[in-house]
């Protein structure tokens, strides 16, 4: 949940790991989301191809890849510092030996679905009574900036976005409601006025610039590139088609001293799915 005191000067856009900046091309950006730590881990998994195995049914080698987004609550129980997490976990099987360009599209497809499902989870009534983080105006676009800082081939999108100075960002914030009040369910920016008078009714939506849209998610049929998993194996037509990825809600518990962003939440001491999916069963005539 972004607050007014998170705002920082745009000159620090590429040197600070946390904070909130305003940019003329992309609106509000959460620097934590824009670091791309999750995308960096995902890229490493896709490049390493660990656990690659030949599956006769699919006539090719596939390897498992996981990706997740989560929120954390830290507390102390009987003298032990614990982290309680909940989020969205996506596990797929990816075909081996794909080109770097195709791997970037695979990664974007996984990120798109996971990020939207996670924002919807944050916006559920379990959490939205005490936080406005779900689909906050800056979240999805900030995720995309982080993705392009890892998988992109052009200049740093944070500079291309044209960050404003600290005082201007404060004036934009003070002229309207907290940024979390403006809900953005799309990967496209919401822009506010950057010159006086700052106060106005609602931000305007604009299309993504070319430098933040040249990597495309996969087409609707993923056959031959990636599949959902079931019992740690690729599964064809999990939902009756090969165009929908399986995003699972989960909970987990770990010691606070452990890594903040592990390779997979399933590696933690306690990990459980909240409402696990099962394959759609079809009967042949």
């Amino acid at each position: 949940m972004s607050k007014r005191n998170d705002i920082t000067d745009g000159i620090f856009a590429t040197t600070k790991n946390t904070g909130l900046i305003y940019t003329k091309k992309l609106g509000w950006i959460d620097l934590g989301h824009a670091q791309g730590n999750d995308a960096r881990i995902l890229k490493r998994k896709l490049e390493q191809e660990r656990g690659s195995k030949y599956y006769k049914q699919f006539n090719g080698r596939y390897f498992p890849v996981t990706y997740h987004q989560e929120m954390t609550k830290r507390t102390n129980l009987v003298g032990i510092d614990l982290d309680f997490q909940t989020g969205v976990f996506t596990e797929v099987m990816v075909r081996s030996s794909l080109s770097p360009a195709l791997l970037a599209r695979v990664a974007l497809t996984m990120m798109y679905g996971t990020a939207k499902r996670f924002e919807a989870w944050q916006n559920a009534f379990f959490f939205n009574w005490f936080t406005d983080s779900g689909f906050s105006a800056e979240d999805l676009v900030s995720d995309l900036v982080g993705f392009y800082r890892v998988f992109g081939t052009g200049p740093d999108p944070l500079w291309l976005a044209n960050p404003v100075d600290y005082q201007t960002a404060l004036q934009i914030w003070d002229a309207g409601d907290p940024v979390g009040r403006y809900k953005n369910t799309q990967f496209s920016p919401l822009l506010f006025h950057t010159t006086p008078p700052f106060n106005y009714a609602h931000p305007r939506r604009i299309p993504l610039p070319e430098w933040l849209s040249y990597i495309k998610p996969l087409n609707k049929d993923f056959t031959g590139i990636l599949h959902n998993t079931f019992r740690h194996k690729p599964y064809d037509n999990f939902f009756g088609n090969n165009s929908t990825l399986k995003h699972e809600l989960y909970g987990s518990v770990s010691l606070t001293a452990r890594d903040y962003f592990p390779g997979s939440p399933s590696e933690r001491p306690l990990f459980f799915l909240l409402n696990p999916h099962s394959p759609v069963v079809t009967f042949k005539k």
Side-chain angles (χ1 to χ4, degrees):
M1 184 170 67
S2 296
K3 303 181 182 66
R4 188 180 188 273
N5 59 9
D6 293 328
I7 296 173
T8 190
D9 198 300
I11 197 172
F12 302 116
T14 59
T15 58
K16 292 191 69 173
N17 296 330
T18 60
L20 185 69
I21 62 171
Y22 187 83
T23 69
K24 293 182 179 180
K25 301 292 181 65
L26 298 177
W28 291 106
I29 295 293
D30 183 325
L31 292 179
H33 285 235
Q35 292 308 299
N37 295 329
D38 56 338
R40 199 165 287 110
I41 292 172
L42 179 56
K43 185 177 184 181
R44 184 168 63 244
K45 292 178 181 180
L46 290 167
E47 291 176 341
Q48 291 175 341
E49 296 193 11
R50 289 184 178 176
S52 178
K53 182 179 177 182
Y54 180 78
Y55 292 91
K56 184 177 180 180
Q57 176 187 357
F58 300 97
N59 190 30
R61 299 185 68 87
Y62 285 79
F63 61 97
V65 176
T66 63
Y67 174 75
H68 69 286
Q69 292 192 11
E70 66 184 14
M71 49 187 164
T72 301
K73 174 67 176 177
R74 294 185 172 179
T75 189
N76 184 283
L77 291 179
V78 294
I80 301 175
D81 292 326
L82 296 175
D83 286 353
F84 294 83
Q85 302 95 357
T86 185
V88 177
F89 177 76
T90 303
E91 183 179 20
V92 298
M93 299 294 287
V94 180
R95 192 177 188 93
S96 295
S97 304
L98 298 179
S99 68
L102 196 49
L103 287 178
R105 295 183 65 191
V106 167
L108 186 60
T109 302
M110 295 179 68
M111 190 276 280
Y112 262 30
T114 306
K116 283 196 170 186
R117 187 70 182 90
F118 175 64
E119 294 299 327
W121 182 228
Q122 280 192 312
N123 202 40
F125 71 91
F126 304 108
F127 311 111
N128 66 11
W129 62 272
F130 67 88
T131 178
D132 59 9
S133 289
F135 287 119
S136 182
E138 79 283 10
D139 283 342
L140 292 179
V141 175
S142 300
D143 286 340
L144 193 59
V145 169
F147 178 89
Y148 269 81
R149 296 183 80 189
V150 174
F151 284 93
T153 57
D156 193 325
L158 280 177
W159 280 128
L160 295 176
N162 198 356
V164 304
D165 62 81
Y166 177 68
Q167 289 300 327
T168 301
L170 286 179
Q171 288 175 306
I172 294 169
W173 178 283
D174 291 341
D177 293 321
V179 66
R181 300 280 183 89
Y182 300 97
K183 299 304 180 183
N184 187 3
T185 60
Q186 302 178 37
F187 285 91
S188 56
L190 295 180
L191 297 189
F192 298 75
H193 280 191
T194 57
T195 56
F198 292 96
N199 199 9
Y200 69 105
H202 202 76
R204 61 187 176 92
R205 183 180 303 280
I206 64 168
L208 284 169
E210 188 279 333
W211 42 266
L212 206 64
S213 59
Y214 58 86
I215 301 173
K216 306 296 183 184
L218 295 173
N219 297 327
K220 290 190 175 181
D221 191 343
F222 309 146
T223 303
I225 299 177
L226 78 163
H227 292 274
N228 286 303
T229 62
F230 186 63
R231 296 174 180 169
H232 307 295
K233 295 180 180 179
Y235 197 95
D236 198 28
N237 296 319
F238 189 93
F239 292 107
N241 59 63
N242 281 329
S243 62
T244 305
L245 292 185
K246 175 165 58 81
H247 306 293
E248 300 284 15
L249 298 175
Y250 71 88
S252 64
V253 181
S254 62
L255 297 176
T256 299
R258 298 290 177 87
D259 290 341
Y260 176 73
F261 207 99
S264 171
S266 60
E267 300 170 4
R268 292 172 178 146
L270 178 60
F271 170 80
F272 51 93
L273 299 180
L274 299 177
N275 185 29
H277 293 88
S278 297
V280 172
V281 178
T282 57
F283 300 94
K284 296 182 179 180
K285 294 182 180 180

